[in-house]
Amino acid sequence: MDIEEEGNTLWIATSGGLLNWNLQTEAYYKLTTEDGLISNQINEIAIDADGRKWLATSRGVSMIDGTNITSYNSDDGLFTNDVNSVGIDSEGNKWFGTKTQYGPSAVSKLDNQGNWSTIPESIGFGITCLVIDASDNIYMGRYKQIVKYSSNGDWTFFVPASQESIGHVAEMIIDENQELWAVSGDGLYHYDSDGNPTVYDASNGLIGFPKSLFIDSNQNKWIGMYEGVSKMNSDNSFTNHILNEPVLTVFEKDANILLGTVNDVTSYNGCLLYTSPSPRDRG
């Protein structure tokens, strides 16, 4: 699940299509394969400088430009059709992390001239997540690995393949200092510019099974868990809030923290957790 903001509108990735939710009017609609999307399983969204929406889906990539939808798959240049993640660099190039159930996966690039390519060194384990920093370095989460593809073409491992402590990398994010944070089933990881990790887990008070990660406007770290959400405090301890379902994504809107779960959007306003009716249930 992913949420991207565009003015008063939230674009929400779901397993049943792309939801457009206007928070001001509370109007909403959903785009699906009937509207031209290549798949209803939307894994991640990125919005480029021209307002086009790029959707990473289970069957390829769909791009929404106003009312027009264009889709791409392996016949066009994607390494594989199952796309987990999408990122846009400072030049407007699009990067797509792919996966396959059996066989290798890789990162594919669509440049500004419409040319597709695949980074050869990225061929291997499926890409679970992808982020790009301000210097256009690309970090890729994989099974028990985090790898970095620098803007000058260098390829380095933040977590070597032989190190098994990272687990399955669920999500990564770049903080205001351009340093990397990641979550896996083992906990929360912070990497400095040299790739040295600091690990936060149950010994620091982090409970549950991390599934998502978010840094709010005050640089607080929020970790979506299998049964709730945890906030990292200034002393590196954690405050845990229990919900009855997994938090698949965390987002901030109007000083409230929004938690995307399987069935609802739950808001945290600093004191209370409350659940808003799911947009699909309002019709």
Side-chain angles (χ1 to χ4, degrees):
M1 187 176 185
D2 186 28
I3 302 175
E4 293 295 328
E5 181 179 10
E6 186 181 37
N8 290 316
T9 296
L10 296 184
W11 294 90
I12 304 174
T14 79
S15 59
L18 179 67
L19 183 68
N20 175 300
W21 186 4
N22 188 308
L23 295 178
Q24 188 173 31
T25 65
E26 300 229 346
Y28 67 92
Y29 63 88
K30 183 180 284 188
L31 294 172
T32 68
T33 53
E34 294 183 359
D35 302 291
L37 296 184
I38 199 169
S39 172
N40 288 333
Q41 177 64 57
I42 314 299
N43 296 320
E44 196 165 85
I45 313 163
I47 303 176
D48 68 19
D50 295 317
R52 292 173 296 207
K53 289 78 184 173
W54 295 85
L55 313 181
T57 86
S58 62
R59 294 184 178 177
V61 172
S62 285
M63 184 272 289
I64 303 171
D65 185 3
T67 59
N68 300 314
I69 298 176
T70 304
S71 294
Y72 307 89
N73 59 25
S74 58
D75 292 336
D76 301 293
L78 271 171
F79 187 79
T80 61
N81 287 335
D82 199 348
V83 186
N84 257 353
S85 52
V86 53
I88 303 175
D89 65 23
S90 64
E91 296 181 353
N93 301 304
K94 287 76 183 178
W95 300 81
F96 302 96
T98 72
K99 68 171 185 176
T100 54
Q101 186 174 1
Y102 305 104
S105 302
V107 171
S108 294
K109 174 185 176 182
L110 177 62
D111 68 22
N112 288 322
Q113 287 72 49
N115 301 310
W116 286 92
S117 59
T118 292
I119 308 305
E121 299 93 336
S122 70
I123 298 175
F125 290 131
I127 309 299
T128 57
C129 49
L130 178 154
V131 292
I132 304 176
D133 69 15
S135 299
D136 286 339
N137 299 305
I138 302 170
Y139 300 86
M140 307 166 200
R142 307 170 86 165
Y143 179 66
K144 298 184 178 180
Q145 293 180 328
I146 294 177
V147 292
K148 175 184 176 182
Y149 183 72
S150 69
S151 54
N152 60 10
D154 291 334
W155 189 261
T156 57
F157 289 86
F158 265 41
V159 179
S162 59
Q163 181 178 330
E164 304 213 352
S165 63
I166 185 66
H168 181 87
V169 183
E171 191 165 2
M172 301 182 298
I173 198 166
I174 304 293
D175 68 15
E176 62 178 354
N177 299 315
Q178 298 302 298
E179 294 185 343
L180 180 69
W181 293 78
V183 288
S184 77
D186 297 325
L188 172 68
Y189 289 74
H190 174 219
Y191 293 89
D192 64 20
S193 57
D194 295 319
N196 301 309
T198 302
V199 184
Y200 304 93
D201 53 23
S203 65
N204 306 98
L206 181 64
I207 63 171
F209 189 91
K211 298 183 72 67
S212 56
L213 176 63
F214 180 73
I215 301 178
D216 67 23
S217 56
N218 294 317
Q219 297 302 301
N220 298 307
K221 283 76 179 178
W222 295 83
I223 302 93
M225 312 294 286
Y226 188 74
E227 292 185 340
V229 64
S230 291
K231 178 184 177 183
M232 187 178 190
N233 302 311
S234 58
D235 61 357
N236 295 335
S237 64
F238 293 86
T239 300
N240 301 297
H241 301 278
I242 304 302
L243 296 175
N244 59 1
E245 54 185 333
V247 174
L248 304 179
T249 191
V250 184
F251 191 76
E252 183 179 24
K253 182 64 178 176
D254 298 331
N256 289 337
I257 297 298
L258 304 180
L259 312 177
T261 64
V262 175
N263 296 312
D264 300 293
V265 175
T266 298
S267 179
Y268 175 76
N269 64 9
C271 300
L272 301 173
L273 284 168
Y274 64 92
T275 299
S276 302
S278 172
R280 72 176 186 192
D281 296 330
R282 294 183 178 180

